[in-house]
Short mmCIF file of all heavy atoms in Angstrom, two decimals:
data_model
loop_
_atom_site.label_atom_id
_atom_site.label_comp_id
_atom_site.label_asym_id
_atom_site.label_seq_id
_atom_site.Cartn_x
_atom_site.Cartn_y
_atom_site.Cartn_z
N LEU Y 34 -37.56 -78.55 46.23
CA LEU Y 34 -37.83 -79.92 46.68
C LEU Y 34 -39.11 -80.01 47.53
O LEU Y 34 -39.66 -81.08 47.72
CB LEU Y 34 -36.65 -80.46 47.50
CG LEU Y 34 -35.31 -80.52 46.77
CD1 LEU Y 34 -34.17 -80.75 47.75
CD2 LEU Y 34 -35.33 -81.65 45.74
N PHE Y 35 -39.54 -78.86 48.02
CA PHE Y 35 -40.69 -78.83 48.93
C PHE Y 35 -41.98 -78.39 48.26
O PHE Y 35 -42.93 -78.01 48.92
CB PHE Y 35 -40.37 -77.92 50.13
CG PHE Y 35 -39.28 -78.48 51.00
CD1 PHE Y 35 -37.94 -78.29 50.69
CD2 PHE Y 35 -39.60 -79.24 52.11
CE1 PHE Y 35 -36.93 -78.84 51.48
CE2 PHE Y 35 -38.59 -79.80 52.91
CZ PHE Y 35 -37.26 -79.60 52.58
N HIS Y 46 -47.95 -80.28 57.19
CA HIS Y 46 -46.59 -80.82 57.20
C HIS Y 46 -45.88 -80.47 58.53
O HIS Y 46 -45.22 -81.31 59.12
CB HIS Y 46 -45.83 -80.26 55.99
CG HIS Y 46 -44.42 -80.73 55.87
ND1 HIS Y 46 -44.07 -82.07 55.89
CD2 HIS Y 46 -43.25 -80.05 55.75
CE1 HIS Y 46 -42.75 -82.18 55.76
NE2 HIS Y 46 -42.24 -80.98 55.69
N ILE Y 49 -47.07 -82.75 61.23
CA ILE Y 49 -46.47 -84.09 61.12
C ILE Y 49 -45.03 -84.05 61.65
O ILE Y 49 -44.59 -84.93 62.38
CB ILE Y 49 -46.51 -84.58 59.65
CG1 ILE Y 49 -47.96 -84.80 59.20
CG2 ILE Y 49 -45.69 -85.86 59.48
CD1 ILE Y 49 -48.13 -85.05 57.70
N LEU Y 50 -44.29 -82.98 61.28
CA LEU Y 50 -42.91 -82.87 61.76
C LEU Y 50 -42.85 -82.72 63.28
O LEU Y 50 -41.95 -83.27 63.93
CB LEU Y 50 -42.20 -81.67 61.09
CG LEU Y 50 -41.93 -81.82 59.59
CD1 LEU Y 50 -41.27 -80.55 59.05
CD2 LEU Y 50 -41.04 -83.03 59.29
N PHE Y 53 -43.33 -86.09 64.69
CA PHE Y 53 -42.08 -86.84 64.51
C PHE Y 53 -41.06 -86.47 65.59
O PHE Y 53 -40.54 -87.34 66.30
CB PHE Y 53 -41.52 -86.57 63.10
CG PHE Y 53 -40.13 -87.14 62.88
CD1 PHE Y 53 -39.97 -88.48 62.56
CD2 PHE Y 53 -39.01 -86.33 62.99
CE1 PHE Y 53 -38.70 -89.01 62.36
CE2 PHE Y 53 -37.73 -86.86 62.79
CZ PHE Y 53 -37.58 -88.20 62.47
N TRP Y 54 -40.80 -85.17 65.76
CA TRP Y 54 -39.74 -84.75 66.69
C TRP Y 54 -40.16 -84.97 68.15
O TRP Y 54 -39.31 -85.24 69.00
CB TRP Y 54 -39.33 -83.30 66.43
CG TRP Y 54 -38.42 -83.22 65.24
CD1 TRP Y 54 -38.71 -82.68 64.02
CD2 TRP Y 54 -37.09 -83.76 65.13
NE1 TRP Y 54 -37.64 -82.84 63.16
CE2 TRP Y 54 -36.64 -83.49 63.82
CE3 TRP Y 54 -36.25 -84.44 66.01
CZ2 TRP Y 54 -35.36 -83.88 63.38
CZ3 TRP Y 54 -34.98 -84.83 65.57
CH2 TRP Y 54 -34.55 -84.55 64.27
N TYR Y 64 -45.96 -90.53 66.20
CA TYR Y 64 -45.56 -90.56 64.78
C TYR Y 64 -45.45 -92.00 64.31
O TYR Y 64 -44.61 -92.75 64.79
CB TYR Y 64 -44.23 -89.84 64.56
CG TYR Y 64 -43.83 -89.81 63.11
CD1 TYR Y 64 -44.30 -88.82 62.26
CD2 TYR Y 64 -43.00 -90.79 62.58
CE1 TYR Y 64 -43.95 -88.81 60.91
CE2 TYR Y 64 -42.64 -90.79 61.24
CZ TYR Y 64 -43.12 -89.79 60.41
OH TYR Y 64 -42.78 -89.78 59.08
N ARG Y 66 -45.69 -92.89 60.79
CA ARG Y 66 -45.66 -92.87 59.34
C ARG Y 66 -44.32 -93.41 58.83
O ARG Y 66 -43.45 -93.74 59.62
CB ARG Y 66 -45.93 -91.44 58.85
CG ARG Y 66 -47.33 -90.98 59.25
CD ARG Y 66 -47.40 -89.48 59.25
NE ARG Y 66 -47.18 -88.89 57.96
CZ ARG Y 66 -48.13 -88.62 57.07
NH1 ARG Y 66 -49.39 -88.87 57.37
NH2 ARG Y 66 -47.83 -88.08 55.92
N THR Y 68 -41.17 -92.39 57.16
CA THR Y 68 -40.30 -91.28 56.74
C THR Y 68 -39.42 -91.68 55.55
O THR Y 68 -39.26 -90.91 54.60
CB THR Y 68 -39.34 -90.88 57.89
OG1 THR Y 68 -40.06 -90.92 59.11
CG2 THR Y 68 -38.77 -89.50 57.69
N LYS Y 71 -41.06 -91.69 52.06
CA LYS Y 71 -41.30 -90.33 51.54
C LYS Y 71 -40.03 -89.80 50.85
O LYS Y 71 -40.09 -89.14 49.81
CB LYS Y 71 -41.64 -89.38 52.69
CG LYS Y 71 -43.03 -89.52 53.23
CD LYS Y 71 -43.98 -88.60 52.50
CE LYS Y 71 -45.41 -88.90 52.92
NZ LYS Y 71 -46.40 -88.27 52.10
N HIS Y 72 -38.89 -90.05 51.51
CA HIS Y 72 -37.64 -89.48 50.96
C HIS Y 72 -37.12 -90.29 49.78
O HIS Y 72 -36.48 -89.73 48.89
CB HIS Y 72 -36.61 -89.34 52.08
CG HIS Y 72 -37.04 -88.33 53.10
ND1 HIS Y 72 -37.94 -88.64 54.10
CD2 HIS Y 72 -36.77 -87.00 53.24
CE1 HIS Y 72 -38.18 -87.56 54.82
NE2 HIS Y 72 -37.49 -86.55 54.32
N LEU Y 75 -39.04 -88.91 47.04
CA LEU Y 75 -38.51 -87.57 46.72
C LEU Y 75 -37.24 -87.70 45.86
O LEU Y 75 -37.03 -86.94 44.91
CB LEU Y 75 -38.18 -86.85 48.03
CG LEU Y 75 -38.00 -85.35 48.01
CD1 LEU Y 75 -39.28 -84.66 47.60
CD2 LEU Y 75 -37.56 -84.85 49.38
N HIS Y 85 -27.57 -81.84 48.99
CA HIS Y 85 -28.88 -81.56 49.61
C HIS Y 85 -28.87 -81.94 51.09
O HIS Y 85 -29.32 -81.19 51.94
CB HIS Y 85 -30.00 -82.35 48.91
CG HIS Y 85 -30.28 -81.89 47.51
ND1 HIS Y 85 -30.19 -82.73 46.43
CD2 HIS Y 85 -30.65 -80.69 47.01
CE1 HIS Y 85 -30.50 -82.07 45.33
NE2 HIS Y 85 -30.79 -80.83 45.66
N PHE Y 86 -28.35 -83.15 51.37
CA PHE Y 86 -28.35 -83.62 52.76
C PHE Y 86 -27.46 -82.73 53.64
O PHE Y 86 -27.81 -82.42 54.78
CB PHE Y 86 -27.92 -85.09 52.84
CG PHE Y 86 -29.05 -86.01 52.52
CD1 PHE Y 86 -29.20 -86.54 51.24
CD2 PHE Y 86 -29.99 -86.34 53.48
CE1 PHE Y 86 -30.27 -87.37 50.93
CE2 PHE Y 86 -31.07 -87.17 53.19
CZ PHE Y 86 -31.21 -87.69 51.91
N TRP Y 89 -29.29 -79.48 54.26
CA TRP Y 89 -30.39 -79.74 55.20
C TRP Y 89 -29.84 -79.79 56.62
O TRP Y 89 -30.35 -79.14 57.52
CB TRP Y 89 -31.08 -81.06 54.81
CG TRP Y 89 -32.36 -81.38 55.52
CD1 TRP Y 89 -33.63 -81.25 55.01
CD2 TRP Y 89 -32.53 -81.89 56.86
NE1 TRP Y 89 -34.55 -81.66 55.95
CE2 TRP Y 89 -33.92 -82.06 57.09
CE3 TRP Y 89 -31.65 -82.24 57.88
CZ2 TRP Y 89 -34.43 -82.54 58.29
CZ3 TRP Y 89 -32.16 -82.72 59.09
CH2 TRP Y 89 -33.53 -82.86 59.27
N ILE Y 116 -30.17 -90.22 60.94
CA ILE Y 116 -31.24 -90.52 59.97
C ILE Y 116 -30.81 -90.10 58.56
O ILE Y 116 -31.06 -90.81 57.58
CB ILE Y 116 -32.57 -89.84 60.39
CG1 ILE Y 116 -33.08 -90.47 61.70
CG2 ILE Y 116 -33.63 -89.98 59.30
CD1 ILE Y 116 -34.19 -89.72 62.39
C1 LIG T 201 -31.92 -83.81 51.57
C2 LIG T 201 -32.52 -83.74 52.76
C3 LIG T 201 -34.01 -83.69 52.94
C4 LIG T 201 -34.97 -83.14 52.11
C5 LIG T 201 -34.77 -82.40 50.80
C6 LIG T 201 -36.25 -83.39 52.72
C7 LIG T 201 -37.46 -83.00 52.20
C8 LIG T 201 -38.68 -83.40 52.67
C9 LIG T 201 -39.94 -83.18 52.00
C10 LIG T 201 -40.14 -82.45 50.67
C11 LIG T 201 -40.90 -83.74 52.77
C12 LIG T 201 -42.41 -83.78 52.46
C13 LIG T 201 -42.72 -85.04 51.70
C14 LIG T 201 -44.20 -85.17 51.39
O1 LIG T 201 -45.03 -85.10 52.31
O2 LIG T 201 -44.53 -85.37 50.21
C15 LIG T 201 -40.25 -84.28 53.94
C16 LIG T 201 -40.91 -84.91 54.95
C17 LIG T 201 -40.30 -85.30 56.12
N1 LIG T 201 -38.96 -85.25 56.40
FE1 LIG T 201 -37.51 -84.69 55.16
N2 LIG T 201 -36.05 -84.07 53.90
C18 LIG T 201 -34.71 -84.26 54.07
C19 LIG T 201 -34.10 -84.90 55.12
C20 LIG T 201 -34.73 -85.32 56.26
C21 LIG T 201 -34.08 -85.86 57.43
C22 LIG T 201 -32.57 -86.06 57.60
C23 LIG T 201 -35.06 -86.14 58.32
C24 LIG T 201 -34.90 -86.75 59.68
C25 LIG T 201 -34.65 -86.09 60.73
C26 LIG T 201 -36.32 -85.76 57.72
C27 LIG T 201 -37.56 -85.87 58.32
C28 LIG T 201 -38.76 -85.75 57.66
C29 LIG T 201 -40.05 -86.14 58.23
C30 LIG T 201 -40.30 -86.74 59.59
C31 LIG T 201 -41.00 -85.88 57.25
C32 LIG T 201 -42.51 -86.15 57.31
C33 LIG T 201 -42.80 -87.43 56.53
C34 LIG T 201 -44.27 -87.82 56.65
O3 LIG T 201 -45.10 -87.25 55.93
O4 LIG T 201 -44.55 -88.67 57.51
N3 LIG T 201 -36.09 -85.26 56.47
N4 LIG T 201 -38.91 -84.07 53.85
#
Side-chain angles (χ1 to χ4, degrees):
L34 300 167
F35 293 83
H46 180 53
I49 294 170
L50 291 178
F53 172 81
W54 282 111
Y64 182 85
R66 296 159 63 90
T68 320
K71 284 269 172 192
H72 295 81
L75 197 63
H85 291 122
F86 279 97
W89 190 103
I116 294 167

